[in-house]
Amino acid sequence: MLKRSLPPALLVGLLVGMLGDLLQLVTGLARNDVFDRSIRWELFWLGLFAAEYLLITVGLFELARRATGQARTLLRVAAGIYAALLVWHSTRPVLDVFYIGSEWIIEVHRYSYVAVGVLSLVVAIVVIVVARGFVRAPAAAFLMIIAVLARGWVPYIGESLHRYLWENQTVGVVYWMVIGMMWTAGLAWLAMLIDGDHAESTTDGAITASGLRLAASALRFRVIVAIVIAVAMVGMVRSAGGLKLAMIGGPAVILASMVVCTLGLLAAVRGALPDLPRWRIVLGATITIWWAGVQLHQLLWLYRSIDGSFGGIRDNAEWLQAWSILGPLAATAGLALAGSAISSYAAARANDELREAASVRTLLFVVLSASGIAITSQLFKASSQNGFILLALIGAGASIAALISLAGLFTRAAETIASGPTLPTARVHDPG
């Protein structure tokens, strides 16, 4: 009998994967101006892909933490492999930027596809072995095995399969949708069996506090980088090399800090603290990492535009401007969900001081972030270079103030949780 639900990160990661598969199906079958393989939806899917792999990696590590003995070791191996796949899928586009057209990079892609298939098969086998899938849930075990083998990574056989699916794209999008659903269903089924085999994890406030501190540190580091970028934009705007460094290097570091912030929030969820809305935090972290995945690919296209290898900025404007307003607003909402979760926790624990601070700081974060986004969206309407710099500094200042406010909230919540539990308000029941 199952004792509890799956780790929130794992379940949400599987749902995000299903959403990505569904989006691929819709955009592949649709023939209209909204869904016809537009760059906007391509970026949306790439962001989902990044969120899916990160969440499933974190979820597998959490499943391993709940397990014991050999099961814990094997699940950590599976989680480590998933982390390696996440790193590879994240760095592969970067390699394409610097080594596009090189013969060796073509060979790397060819053999990496086989390697990814083999590693995915190892993950499937590990999960099946730990869950005793062939005995207790043979249907789920076969779903996972078939889903991996059907991806077309087996040499010679895979090349023919991909050629056929490319020539018959309608069949192809349906095929990939079915394969994705099989993998998701099999993994979810077996993971629930594994989770039900082990005792429920105890609440650990230290883990939650540590995760919130990590998230706060990542936000403060992002503030420092943002200040450096603002200064660089003013001092180096006349230097092509300095401007390129500020436009590419700075945002890359900011993206890394947001990934760390997301990991901190997901770590806070692992503490399973009573009255802390875990699903709300996981949803906020998912939105945040989605936007980071989108920005990674936009950053690569910005580099290509500055480098001139794929045309200039005007030629790639659609890649660079997609989700330019909705994306940051979504990321703001994602982090605001974490702030509202702290407010709900404080209210449930009758901690009025923390509840008030959480409400005020979260609202301040949303207002300042939205203001910074609105100002930044008007940058290219500036009539002069000085006007451009002034708007950029004002927008950056609003965003920095927003991040400082939220980082302070995370730190305060971590200190409160680490100092010990605050009992919820007592309720008197009338026996009559």
Side-chain angles (χ1 to χ4, degrees):
M1 182 176 179
L2 299 180
K3 299 181 179 66
R4 57 191 181 280
S5 62
L6 289 174
L10 179 58
L11 182 55
V12 174
L14 293 172
L15 292 175
V16 168
M18 291 177 62
L19 177 60
D21 292 332
L22 180 61
L23 179 63
Q24 287 288 83
L25 178 66
V26 172
T27 57
L29 296 178
R31 295 292 182 268
N32 54 60
D33 294 336
V34 178
F35 288 111
D36 192 14
R37 292 290 182 180
S38 69
I39 289 175
R40 175 182 292 270
W41 292 109
E42 182 70 16
L43 283 171
F44 185 85
W45 178 80
L46 290 171
L48 288 180
F49 188 79
E52 174 193 358
Y53 267 75
L54 179 65
L55 289 168
I56 291 180
T57 298
V58 173
L60 287 175
F61 274 116
E62 170 60 15
L63 198 63
R65 191 177 74 90
R66 295 179 177 184
T68 57
Q70 187 181 29
R72 172 177 290 187
T73 301
L74 290 174
L75 287 173
R76 283 178 174 173
V77 170
I81 292 175
Y82 233 93
L85 294 176
L86 170 64
V87 172
W88 166 246
H89 287 303
S90 300
T91 56
R92 185 179 62 182
V94 178
L95 293 176
D96 290 341
V97 168
F98 291 101
Y99 301 104
I100 188 69
S102 300
E103 292 185 5
W104 74 271
I105 200 66
I106 296 175
E107 294 300 317
V108 167
H109 282 304
R110 178 179 300 172
Y111 289 106
S112 69
Y113 200 69
V114 177
V116 167
V118 172
L119 291 176
S120 299
L121 183 60
V122 172
V123 172
I125 292 174
V126 167
V127 173
I128 291 170
V129 169
V130 174
R132 302 195 304 277
F134 284 121
V135 176
R136 296 195 296 172
F142 281 111
L143 280 177
M144 287 196 73
I145 294 295
I146 294 173
V148 175
L149 295 177
R151 291 180 184 178
W153 51 271
V154 179
Y156 303 109
I157 298 177
E159 293 177 4
S160 301
L161 174 64
H162 283 284
R163 187 179 302 109
Y164 173 79
L165 295 177
W166 176 257
E167 294 171 353
N168 302 271
Q169 294 190 11
T170 300
V171 177
V173 292
V174 175
Y175 180 87
W176 293 118
M177 173 73 177
V178 172
I179 295 302
M181 291 298 184
M182 291 172 61
W183 172 265
T184 299
L187 180 56
W189 191 344
L190 295 176
M192 285 190 289
L193 290 177
I194 295 171
D195 196 41
D197 288 337
H198 302 282
E200 185 173 359
S201 300
T202 57
T203 298
D204 193 338
I207 293 179
T208 300
S210 177
L212 290 174
R213 290 193 188 98
L214 179 61
S217 298
L219 291 180
R220 292 193 179 94
F221 182 72
R222 178 177 173 175
V223 167
I224 295 173
V225 175
I227 293 174
V228 172
I229 292 177
V231 173
M233 291 291 286
V234 175
M236 301 181 180
V237 73
R238 294 178 178 82
S239 168
L243 183 60
K244 185 175 180 179
L245 179 62
M247 292 178 66
I248 302 298
V253 177
I254 287 177
L255 284 183
S257 70
M258 292 313 297
V259 172
V260 174
C261 177
T262 301
L263 292 174
L265 293 177
L266 294 175
V269 170
R270 291 206 313 271
L273 201 65
D275 300 319
L276 183 65
R278 296 183 297 163
W279 293 102
R280 197 185 307 178
I281 295 178
V282 172
L283 177 59
T286 302
I287 297 173
T288 304
I289 201 61
W290 165 79
W291 177 231
V294 171
Q295 283 188 298
L296 172 62
H297 289 274
Q298 288 184 317
L299 187 61
L300 296 176
W301 277 99
L302 177 60
Y303 181 89
R304 289 168 173 169
S305 301
I306 295 176
D307 186 64
S309 56
F310 281 81
I313 291 181
R314 290 185 178 180
D315 300 318
N316 301 312
E318 192 173 359
W319 280 100
L320 301 177
Q321 295 176 5
W323 303 103
S324 59
I325 295 179
L326 289 178
L329 287 176
T332 297
L335 291 175
L337 285 174
S340 70
I342 294 174
S343 178
S344 297
Y345 166 78
R349 292 285 171 166
N351 189 331
D352 292 334
E353 185 178 355
L354 178 60
R355 179 187 57 78
E356 182 178 354
S359 300
V360 172
R361 284 179 176 271
T362 301
L363 179 61
L364 185 62
F365 167 73
V366 172
V367 171
L368 289 174
S369 292
S371 300
I373 294 167
I375 294 171
T376 304
S377 66
Q378 303 300 313
L379 283 179
F380 293 98
K381 295 183 180 180
S383 57
S384 64
Q385 179 174 297
N386 290 334
F388 178 91
I389 295 175
L390 180 61
L391 284 177
L393 290 176
I394 295 175
S399 299
I400 288 170
L403 293 172
I404 292 175
S405 174
L406 193 63
L409 172 60
F410 288 165
T411 300
R412 188 167 183 173
E415 292 173 350
T416 300
I417 293 170
S419 64
T422 300
L423 295 178
T425 303
R427 297 180 181 178
V428 178
H429 296 276
D430 186 357

